[in-house]
Amino acid sequence: MECNCIEPQWPPDDLLMKYQYISDFFIALAYFSIPLELIYFVKKSAVFPYRWVLVQFGAFIVLCGATHLINLWTFTPHSRTVASVMTTAKVLTALVSCVTALMLVHIIPDLLSVKTRELFLKNKAAELDREMGLIRTQEEIGRHVRMLTHEIRSTLDRHTILRTTLVELGRTLSLEECALWMPTRTGLELQLSYTLRQQNPVGYTVPIHLPVINQVFSTNCAVKISPNCPVARLRPAGKYVSGEVVAVRVPLLHLSNFHINDWPELSTKRYALMVLMLPSDSARQWHVHELELVEVVADQVAVALSHAAILEESMRARNLLMEQNVALDLARREAETAIRARNDFLAVMNHEMRTPMHAIIALSSLLQETELTPEQRLMVETILKSSNLLATLINDVLDLSRLEDGSLQLDLETFNLYSLFKEVLKLIKPIASVKKLRVSLSLAPDLPEYAVGDEKRLMQTILNVVGNALKFSKEGSISITAFVVKPETLRDSRTPEFLPVPSDNHFYLRVQVKDSGCGISPQDIPKLFTKFAENQSTATRNPGGSGLGLAICKRFVNLMEGHIWIESEGLGKGCTAIFIVKLGIPEGMNDSKLPYMPKMPTNHRQTAFPGLKVLVMDENGVSGAVTKELLMHLGCDVTTVSSGDECLQLVSHEHKVVFMDICVPGIDCHRITSRIYEKFAKRNERPLIVALTGNTDKSTKENCMRIGMDGLVLKPVSLDKMRSVLSDLLEHRVLFEAI
Amino acid sequence: MDLVQLQRQLVDYRTSLYHEGFLDEQFTQLKELQDENNPDFVVEVVSLFFEDSERLLNELSKALEQQVIDFKRIDAHVHQFKGSSSSIGAQRVQKLCIVFRNFCEAQNVEGCLKCLQQVKHEYSIVKTKLESMFQLERQILNAGGSVPV
């Protein structure tokens, strides 16, 4: 038995043991240094989330290291302490390692997922980068479009627009070739009109109804087409492999497509075709945003072209108008010159013609006065008659020509209407009596005494009309009536276009000349007023007129703002010539004018009026009695009434005059006057209605005239005055004292 | 008083009436109308005038006493009065009537009342004068003479 108190340090024969010893040592070393490293690096990094795991791991490793270290002592015989330490260490290590192993089951998946998330984020970042790139590109494109549009729209010249489009597009999209095909006039073909690279494209056409073209025209998007189709063969046949080709339609808006109320319809459209080719060697593809750009540009081009078209159109119209203006101006000046020349001619001829005429007429009439044989007398009379006719003709022609170009003006002056009619009557009475025609003149009581107008021409008109009546009547009677047109009767259904408007200082005079002559058939009536047109049937009977008379009358009447027409019921039934003219009412009568109606000699004035039945209406008993006495003194048979109704009751056709005292209010003179008018329809049965008034107001006189009274006498009336009043009244049937 | 003196008195009286403006030519006219056929024409007319005037003046007084004055009616009456007075030649009365009418138009109550008083006054004067003149004429006629024109 050996007693091994001290074991030799190294068992002498075990190399293996030696190596184990060394390995354990190094393992322990490593095991101690790893946690150190871990702690160091974890301390450095701030984000590691699993610290406690590290601690655990560290513990595990440290314990493992300790175990191995302690193992070093077990190679040599060792004491019990060492063994227990060893055991403790081993136990602890076992514990920690088990716990760590359990922990790692949870932790390792987590750690792995961190990794996947990291990968995912990296991918996302890459994607975003890509998208950013895209957006930036699009923005660039947008800027290009705006710039392009600006370029295109900055000009109104069609060619510049198109050329600029192609150039800018080519630049923006870096195109190989860009071309525009326009439809020909016939609309059946597309002609190559513009290209980018070639300066003068040859008139190269393709028919419009190719399927590929229809495809492009049917949509407003840009369409990729095959490089081999006819429209894309823009380069002379070569060995190029052209890049992708895109075609888009360009609507050609026509002026007539723009309706006022709606947008142009795109159905009846003509389109042009724009073809864009990418460079052949770049292997580029058409991107969506590039296609969008092309579409937008195509639209803009369409608008710009239509603007240019409108401008062209308006320029053309303006030029046309200017030309027309110039031509019109020239024509006008020529016309004026012609008129002036004619007037000069007429004036000269007028003078030249009248002088010899004058000589002929004067000398022939002188000759008439001398001793002549019957044949000579006949001859001289014929000469005179013919020369008179000729003189009239000359005058008529001159008048008419002056009337035509509006150089004739009326000579307006105040004249006496009554005396005008009397004059006419005087002039035609001889002729009428020779022809055994009765002529009657009837003037309305409300006809103003004086009027403002062209007396000479009015007389001429009346004479002409009456002369015609005389000329065309073989027998019977001619009646001339003149009255003031009342507003109610102004609208004559036969003359709808003539609308006289009465005013305060004008009135419309209506004159009717009715004859019982040969009449006119209705279809000839419109021709009557035409120059030189003679009525065929009457021309043979009365070859005395030049046919100008009525035409001149019509002109005069028109100048006097009136209307003239002829009515006839047919041949043999006579005819009525009617004209309405506008005359002025003279302002205030001068005192120099005679107070009574004038010009007729008042030498046969009656001094007594035996048996003249007179009705006096006066509300005032006293003045009525005075008036009655006055009249009775003059021999009248007087009845007095004191109210209007009494007056109307008692008035009869036997009464020749009714004196109405009108300044007493309460008597409605208008009413009574109109009643009297109504009661006595025929003018010669109606008594004369005379107003007696002390009122010197001018309006009183005008009122009396207007309501149809025949006279006005101012009170106080002396015997002499009453005598002359009655005398004048009975003779002239009208008497308005001057106020 | 003997005839000639009466006649002279009448003439003077009449002339004075004309002079003082109580009467005007209209009265002369009336006289001219008087003849053998109608010897009392002037007297008749003047009496008619008196009657009429009394009536009118009464109406006027009544109208102006009303609470609400109807100027139109007053104007109508004055107008009538004016007419009558001018018909017989009572010049002063006629002139006053014109003034009266102006006040009526202006609807001036004070003026109207004043005018009415004046008109009444003038009327009574002219009435008295005419009546005296007629009395003289009657005296002349009774004395067997003829009234000078």
Side-chain angles (χ1 to χ4, degrees), chain B residues 66-126:
Chain B
Q66 300 291 329
Q67 282 279 41
V68 179
I69 297 186
D70 186 354
F71 282 103
K72 275 208 170 55
R73 248 183 99 215
I74 294 181
D75 188 64
H77 289 316
V78 176
H79 187 95
Q80 281 236 349
F81 200 16
K82 184 178 108 168
S84 324
S85 48
S86 70
S87 295
I88 63 154
Q91 199 182 41
R92 280 203 192 180
V93 178
Q94 183 195 6
K95 289 209 169 103
L96 271 175
C97 285
I98 296 174
V99 177
F100 201 147
R101 282 195 87 190
N102 286 343
F103 279 124
C104 270
E105 252 183 66
Q107 304 211 346
N108 183 342
V109 181
E110 307 292 309
C112 285
L113 285 167
K114 208 167 62 136
C115 246
L116 181 61
Q117 291 308 316
Q118 285 175 327
V119 165
K120 275 189 182 163
H121 181 68
E122 278 299 326
Y123 165 72
S124 57
I125 296 178
V126 87

Side-chain angles (χ1 to χ4, degrees), chain A residues 316-330:
Chain A
R316 210 159 39 82
R318 196 183 69 135
N319 287 340
L320 196 63
L321 272 172
M322 275 183 12
E323 279 173 38
Q324 280 179 342
N325 264 358
V326 167
L328 275 171
D329 210 28
L330 190 65

Side-chain angles (χ1 to χ4, degrees), chain A residues 237-494:
Chain A
K239 295 164 192 96
Y240 306 114
V241 173
S242 27
E244 289 204 342
V245 183
V246 145
V248 71
R249 74 174 186 188
V250 179
L252 294 174
L253 299 169
H254 210 58
L255 267 175
S256 57
N257 293 121
F258 285 98
H259 305 289
I260 307 293
N261 290 323
D262 36 24
W263 294 106
E265 291 147 18
L266 300 176
S267 50
T268 57
K269 280 270 148 280
R270 297 190 329 148
Y271 298 106
L273 190 75
M274 193 151 60
V275 175
L276 304 118
M277 232 190 288
L278 285 179
S280 41
D281 46 354
S282 70
R284 255 176 65 191
Q285 298 252 321
W286 280 101
H287 298 281
V288 169
H289 64 264
E290 287 171 345
L291 292 180
E292 276 172 12
L293 176 87
V294 166
E295 284 157 25
V296 167
V297 169
D299 272 332
Q300 288 297 320
V301 165
V303 174
L305 281 177
S306 61
H307 283 189
I310 290 173
L311 183 73
E312 266 174 52
E313 192 65 40
S314 77
M315 293 294 293
R316 210 159 39 82
R318 196 183 69 135
N319 287 340
L320 196 63
L321 272 172
M322 275 183 12
E323 279 173 38
Q324 280 179 342
N325 264 358
V326 167
L328 275 171
D329 210 28
L330 190 65
R332 184 178 58 92
R333 262 176 297 158
E334 281 177 12
E336 275 177 11
T337 322
I339 289 178
R340 262 198 302 266
R342 185 198 67 176
N343 285 348
D344 289 338
F345 169 75
L346 277 176
V348 164
M349 285 316 290
N350 174 32
H351 177 73
E352 298 303 322
M353 285 199 280
R354 281 199 217 217
T355 317
M357 274 321 307
H358 182 73
I360 296 173
I361 294 175
L363 293 173
S364 326
S365 41
L366 278 177
L367 194 58
Q368 244 185 353
E369 307 289 320
T370 64
E371 281 287 323
L372 295 169
T373 67
E375 302 100 45
Q376 284 175 324
R377 189 161 288 277
L378 200 62
M379 284 188 246
V380 172
E381 274 176 11
T382 316
I383 293 174
L384 207 52
K385 244 195 282 191
S386 314
S387 24
N388 272 330
L389 272 171
L390 191 60
T392 319
L393 186 64
I394 293 173
N395 284 341
D396 278 355
V397 169
L398 193 69
D399 260 349
L400 198 63
S401 68
R402 272 200 301 154
L403 278 171
E404 297 239 281
D405 50 59
S407 58
L408 187 75
Q409 278 173 333
L410 295 176
D411 304 317
L412 297 174
E413 55 177 29
T414 312
F415 63 93
N416 190 314
L417 256 181
Y418 288 87
S419 51
L420 182 107
F421 281 105
K422 294 280 157 75
E423 197 68 25
V424 169
L425 211 59
K426 207 164 51 165
L427 284 170
I428 61 172
K429 263 210 169 98
I431 311 177
S433 58
V434 161
K435 285 185 106 171
K436 300 212 179 8
L437 295 166
R438 265 179 323 180
V439 180
S440 69
L441 170 69
S442 132
L443 303 172
D446 62 349
L447 205 61
E449 199 179 319
Y450 290 91
V452 177
D454 191 331
E455 185 182 9
K456 188 169 78 103
R457 301 218 163 87
L458 183 61
M459 170 104 93
Q460 206 175 336
T461 311
I462 301 176
L463 273 175
N464 198 308
V465 169
V466 172
N468 277 345
L470 279 176
K471 210 174 8 163
F472 294 108
S473 305
K474 289 253 157 99
E475 58 184 0
S477 65
I478 294 179
S479 78
I480 309 171
T481 36
F483 50 91
V484 174
V485 185
K486 300 273 187 308
E488 308 86 60
T489 58
L490 276 176
R491 195 76 61 97
D492 197 325
S493 58
R494 282 162 297 199

Side-chain angles (χ1 to χ4, degrees), chain A residues 619-626 629-633 661-665 694 715-720, chain B residues 26 29-30 32-35 38 41 45 48-49 52 75-76 79-84 86-88 101:
Chain A
E619 235 185 41
N620 188 327
V622 176
S623 73
V626 173
E629 190 57 41
L630 266 176
L631 289 165
M632 276 174 57
H633 218 76
D661 188 313
I662 66 157
C663 72
V664 185
K715 285 203 287 191
V717 194
S718 70
L719 193 60
D720 284 328
Chain B
Q26 183 61 18
Q29 290 290 325
L30 287 185
E32 275 188 36
L33 288 174
Q34 185 163 286
D35 56 13
N38 210 341
F41 175 62
V45 172
L48 196 57
F49 169 68
D52 220 21
D75 188 64
H79 187 95
Q80 281 236 349
F81 200 16
K82 184 178 108 168
S84 324
S86 70
S87 295
I88 63 154
R101 282 195 87 190

Side-chain angles (χ1 to χ4, degrees), chain A residues 24 48 163 298 348 425 524 623 633 684:
Chain A
D24 267 333
F48 196 73
R163 185 137 285 286
V348 164
L425 211 59
D524 287 330
S623 73
H633 218 76
N684 44 12

Side-chain angles (χ1 to χ4, degrees), chain A residues 717-736:
Chain A
V717 194
S718 70
L719 193 60
D720 284 328
K721 183 164 166 181
M722 186 55 95
R723 193 181 289 132
S724 59
V725 161
L726 276 178
S727 172
D728 281 328
L729 256 177
L730 291 172
E731 177 163 343
H732 303 133
R733 301 193 70 76
V734 84
L735 170 59
F736 280 94

